[in-house]
Amino acid sequence: MSEEKSLNFLEEIIEEDLKNNTHQGRVHTRFPPEPNGYLHIGHAKSICVNFGLAQKYNGKCNLRFDDTNPSTEETAYVESIKTDIEWLGFKWDHEYYTSDYFGTLYQYAQQLILKGLAYVDDSTAEEMATLKGTPTTVGVNSPYRNRSIEENAQLFEEMRAGKYPDGAKVLRAKIDMKHDNMLMRDPVIYRIKHAHHHRTGDAWCIYPMYDFAHGQSDSIEEITHSICTMEFIPHRELYDWLIEKLEIFPSHQYEFARGNVSYMVTSKRRLLQLVKENHVAGWDDPRMPTISGLRRRGYTPASIRTFWEHVGVAKRDNTIDINLLEFYIREELNKVALRRMAVLDPIKLIINNLDEHESISLQAENNHEVENAGERTISFSKNLWIERDDFMENPPNKYFRLGPGLKVRLKHAFIIACTHFTKDQNGQITEVYADYYPESKSGQDTSGIKVKGVIHWLDASSAKQAEVRLYDRLFTVEDPTSETGDFKDYINPNSLTIIQNAWIEPALTSASLEDKFQFLRLGYFCKDRNSTNEHIIFNRTVGLKDSWAKEVKKG
Ligand code: ATP
Ligand code: MG
């Protein structure tokens, strides 16, 4: 590709550092998820940025589980996070856990105490909040702020030994209660929590706060570029202060805009609610914006990477139109998906001029978009399935599908002319009858008959029954979290349509979960992981409509 892409601001920073030989030319990033839920589309952006920069600059990227909160973390989440990162196509250089650093972090806290830069505070949370002041009024020193170094060291040791109940005491950094940045007003760096941790068990009853763990872990791993999202900007001052006072490796924090996508909620806490309250069928429900949900829906890793690559990194928060994500998956599936036929709402089409046991073999191309995609053999016989809405009893002008006296082409097969139809007592069409023109075979048509419409169909004698699940957006508004009331009030009640009696080509029964298909005129589909030989299930990834293509080409 000759296309010259300009550098994004993170690349500019890194290239400047490389030029100045900062960190001896090393680039070392990390992706630091908290294992308290499954990864979502927003995390994919952070993964692409962190792993992507390491790749581009021959650096390294660690996977660090930020597991400092014992009550919300689970080993199952750790496993899902690893699966999702690998599926996205990235490999971490080291796998670390902040909990592995609990011993070192404890020593760092002791060092701050010995330098007179931390103290134990017995105030209640309410008292501390009151003394903290507000963004427009300065804070007031805690009555415990002037404890001696010896007393602080002793109390902190007792906290660690389990002498005090939850909330009785905290350790705070001694900075400045009048600081403009509220986070610098003597932030809490350790709290007491008698809770079982998923990795350290009951070894600890005090746990470091995010701000005291994150930057220090970066230093321990000698991370050169610690990249996070914009909401951490106010934390950077504290990040730098702690590293400076502890005289440890000078990691630096850089912030970029979160990735938000319209009609999707990107917050593990909220996604957990959807799962716990059974609004969806689990973290990997194909309507979920999780990586595992997108995977089950039929998204490919490349389409997600390309999407975030196209969006780029910037410092301004914005929401990306979900249509853009759908554009990239369509673009890829158009190239890789095998074309197949399926009928979702069937009516019988009977060919008058074929005998019951006659069957004609036809060749159907797998994908005309790519060379060498090959062909498959399909059969044509007396009893066929077509879509109910491809037939109209009283068709208007310019209806180019089937109706009494109308002609249409059956894809990969013949032109047919409708002769008559039958109805049941409710007025429902039951059967449609047509003659076929033997000399109109696709690719070898000598009939001279011109038709405008082409419809898909299946041979009823070989078609297999399947369940097909069609999805719509999970929410009815672009950003359900910014609306009044609860975000769950905006769940789309029609986000899932289950079709029990669809028909599919027989070849689809042996499809693997990774295979991608285009069902002609219906969209892109993949097999669901709950599919069995007896009960085949297909998920629609996305429809065929592509109103976004023009916008993207315009740039
Ligand atoms: P959530 O609110 O969903 O729990 P989080 O930021 O608390 O998100 P973490 O597990 O702490 O989740 O995130 C790991 C990394 O992913 C962090 O560096 C975080 O900044 C980044 N990240 C999370 N959400 C997004 C997003 N929407 N866009 C870009 N990066 C994100
Ligand atoms: Mg977090």
Side-chain angles (χ1 to χ4, degrees):
M1 287 229 300
S2 62
E3 192 182 329
E4 275 282 327
K5 273 194 81 184
S6 58
L7 299 180
N8 66 46
F9 79 95
L10 291 171
E11 292 166 337
E12 277 171 6
I13 289 167
I14 290 178
E15 297 206 357
E16 188 63 23
D17 284 344
L18 290 174
K19 204 170 78 196
N20 298 332
N21 205 32
T22 319
H23 310 302
Q24 293 79 47
R26 264 189 331 111
V27 173
H28 203 150
T29 59
R30 86 287 169 268
F31 174 65
E34 186 179 345
N36 61 349
Y38 280 55
L39 297 180
H40 53 61
I41 183 78
H43 291 114
K45 178 176 186 182
S46 179
I47 292 169
C48 291
V49 169
N50 281 297
F51 285 92
L53 287 170
Q55 257 171 16
K56 176 163 182 178
Y57 295 104
N58 260 322
K60 289 186 173 162
C61 183
N62 293 350
L63 169 59
R64 183 197 313 142
F65 289 101
D66 193 358
D67 57 351
T68 51
N69 187 0
S71 50
T72 57
E73 289 150 9
E74 287 177 28
T75 310
Y77 293 137
V78 167
E79 292 311 314
S80 78
I81 289 169
K82 293 203 278 187
T83 303
D84 289 350
I85 297 172
E86 284 183 321
W87 179 77
L88 277 172
F90 297 106
K91 188 78 204 107
W92 48 91
D93 288 277
H94 300 280
E95 176 183 332
Y96 291 128
Y97 294 79
T98 303
S99 56
D100 290 341
Y101 308 142
F102 282 168
T104 308
L105 294 171
Y106 179 73
Q107 287 168 10
Y108 284 167
Q110 286 178 315
Q111 285 170 28
L112 285 183
I113 292 172
L114 294 180
K115 288 181 180 188
L117 294 172
Y119 61 98
V120 173
D121 196 330
D122 302 1
S123 307
T124 63
E126 294 72 36
E127 286 163 349
M128 278 194 283
T130 311
L131 294 178
K132 193 144 201 172
T134 68
T136 51
T137 58
V138 293
V140 176
N141 287 350
S142 158
Y144 302 97
R145 199 173 197 264
N146 289 324
R147 278 178 161 155
S148 69
I149 289 176
E150 293 69 34
E151 190 183 1
N152 282 318
Q154 161 106 30
L155 290 172
F156 188 52
E157 214 177 291
E158 289 172 0
M159 279 166 66
R160 190 241 187 283
K163 188 163 173 195
Y164 306 107
D166 289 6
K169 288 180 170 31
V170 291
L171 183 71
R172 301 176 74 173
K174 194 171 186 174
I175 308 179
D176 180 2
M177 289 304 289
K178 299 188 175 63
H179 206 287
D180 287 342
N181 182 347
M182 296 279 288
L183 287 171
M184 297 294 275
R185 294 184 188 173
D186 292 7
V188 174
I189 58 177
Y190 257 97
R191 60 175 173 159
I192 300 170
K193 195 163 173 98
H194 293 267
H196 191 83
H197 186 279
H198 78 120
R199 293 186 86 243
T200 57
D202 298 315
W204 296 87
C205 63
I206 56 170
Y207 290 94
M209 302 300 285
Y210 170 85
D211 283 308
F212 192 67
H214 196 85
Q216 299 21 268
S217 301
D218 284 343
S219 280
I220 292 168
E221 295 172 22
E222 303 200 340
I223 298 302
T224 59
H225 299 82
S226 175
I227 299 162
C228 60
T229 39
M230 300 296 278
E231 68 269 25
F232 289 98
I233 289 177
H235 296 254
R236 194 197 317 137
E237 213 169 357
L238 179 54
Y239 183 105
D240 291 342
W241 187 91
L242 287 166
I243 284 179
E244 186 201 314
K245 299 302 178 203
L246 289 167
E247 298 172 75
I248 52 181
F249 182 85
S251 297
H252 274 286
Q253 175 183 304
Y254 304 93
E255 309 87 13
F256 71 102
R258 282 179 88 83
N260 301 315
V261 180
S262 64
Y263 298 97
M264 289 185 158
V265 162
T266 46
S267 143
K268 279 178 290 190
R269 183 174 57 81
R270 292 198 174 92
L271 296 177
L272 180 64
Q273 283 180 49
L274 294 178
V275 173
K276 285 247 162 90
E277 297 168 22
N278 296 315
H279 296 288
V280 293
W283 284 100
D284 75 341
D285 185 302
R287 292 167 294 179
M288 287 282 271
T290 50
I291 309 288
S292 52
L294 291 164
R295 174 165 64 234
R296 189 167 166 196
R297 177 85 169 248
Y299 274 76
T300 60
S303 66
I304 295 171
R305 292 195 309 261
T306 313
F307 166 70
W308 283 125
E309 168 96 9
H310 171 96
V311 169
V313 292
K315 294 192 182 206
R316 196 164 35 85
D317 270 316
N318 66 343
T319 298
I320 316 300
D321 193 324
I322 194 172
N323 286 303
L324 187 65
L325 181 62
E326 294 183 348
F327 166 82
Y328 283 109
I329 186 62
R330 274 194 199 97
E331 237 204 359
E332 192 185 343
L333 292 179
N334 186 39
K335 284 179 249 147
V336 303
L338 297 174
R339 271 53 172 174
R340 294 290 182 261
M341 293 199 279
V343 175
L344 304 190
D345 184 13
I347 45 171
K348 219 17 134 21
L349 170 68
I350 295 159
I351 304 295
N352 304 312
N353 51 341
L354 270 181
D355 287 337
E356 270 307 330
H357 298 296
E358 242 175 303
S359 178
I360 300 171
S361 287
L362 299 165
Q363 290 307 108
E365 61 205 351
N366 285 327
N367 186 349
H368 58 278
E369 293 282 332
V370 291
E371 268 179 66
N372 304 323
E375 293 185 329
R376 67 198 186 279
T377 304
I378 56 174
S379 62
F380 178 79
S381 63
K382 186 171 186 70
N383 295 300
L384 308 178
W385 294 117
I386 59 169
E387 297 285 352
R388 183 165 292 279
D389 70 2
D390 280 337
F391 177 85
M392 278 185 89
E393 186 178 349
N394 298 302
N397 276 346
K398 303 209 171 162
Y399 181 78
F400 298 124
R401 289 173 274 165
L402 215 50
L406 294 185
K407 296 190 183 72
V408 77
R409 172 172 293 284
L410 297 180
K411 182 72 182 172
H412 302 306
F414 302 93
I415 294 172
I416 59 167
C418 177
T419 53
H420 60 291
F421 62 93
T422 57
K423 278 196 209 181
D424 62 18
Q425 59 270 50
N426 304 322
Q428 271 258 79
I429 309 283
T430 44
E431 282 163 352
V432 175
Y433 292 81
D435 290 331
Y436 89 105
Y437 296 93
E439 64 284 11
S440 68
K441 188 163 152 182
S442 292
Q444 303 160 30
D445 185 353
T446 57
S447 69
I449 303 167
K450 292 275 172 280
V451 292
K452 287 222 166 97
V454 182
I455 64 173
H456 60 274
W457 58 279
L458 285 171
D459 181 357
S461 68
S462 61
K464 300 283 184 234
Q465 204 145 30
E467 175 179 322
V468 171
R469 297 176 181 173
L470 306 178
Y471 302 100
D472 197 353
R473 287 167 186 166
L474 188 51
F475 295 98
T476 53
V477 293
E478 280 190 28
D479 181 5
T481 63
S482 72
E483 300 284 338
T484 50
D486 189 85
F487 80 104
K488 287 173 291 178
D489 297 343
Y490 300 90
I491 292 177
N492 176 4
N494 304 313
S495 58
L496 169 63
T497 305
I498 297 181
I499 296 171
Q500 294 288 358
N501 300 315
W503 292 98
I504 58 173
E505 280 187 34
L508 284 167
T509 55
S510 58
S512 77
L513 296 184
E514 287 72 39
D515 291 339
K516 309 293 179 200
F517 300 98
Q518 183 192 104
F519 291 176
L520 295 185
R521 298 172 69 219
L522 298 174
Y524 293 101
F525 292 78
C526 66
K527 211 180 225 180
D528 187 76
R529 66 166 173 76
N530 284 342
S531 212
T532 62
N533 287 339
E534 293 70 42
H535 187 84
I536 300 162
I537 307 168
F538 274 89
N539 292 319
R540 178 152 75 184
T541 310
V542 67
L544 293 175
K545 184 178 64 77
D546 198 348
S547 53
W548 195 252
K550 285 195 300 294
E551 299 298 317
V552 173
K553 296 231 162 73
K554 269 193 264 165

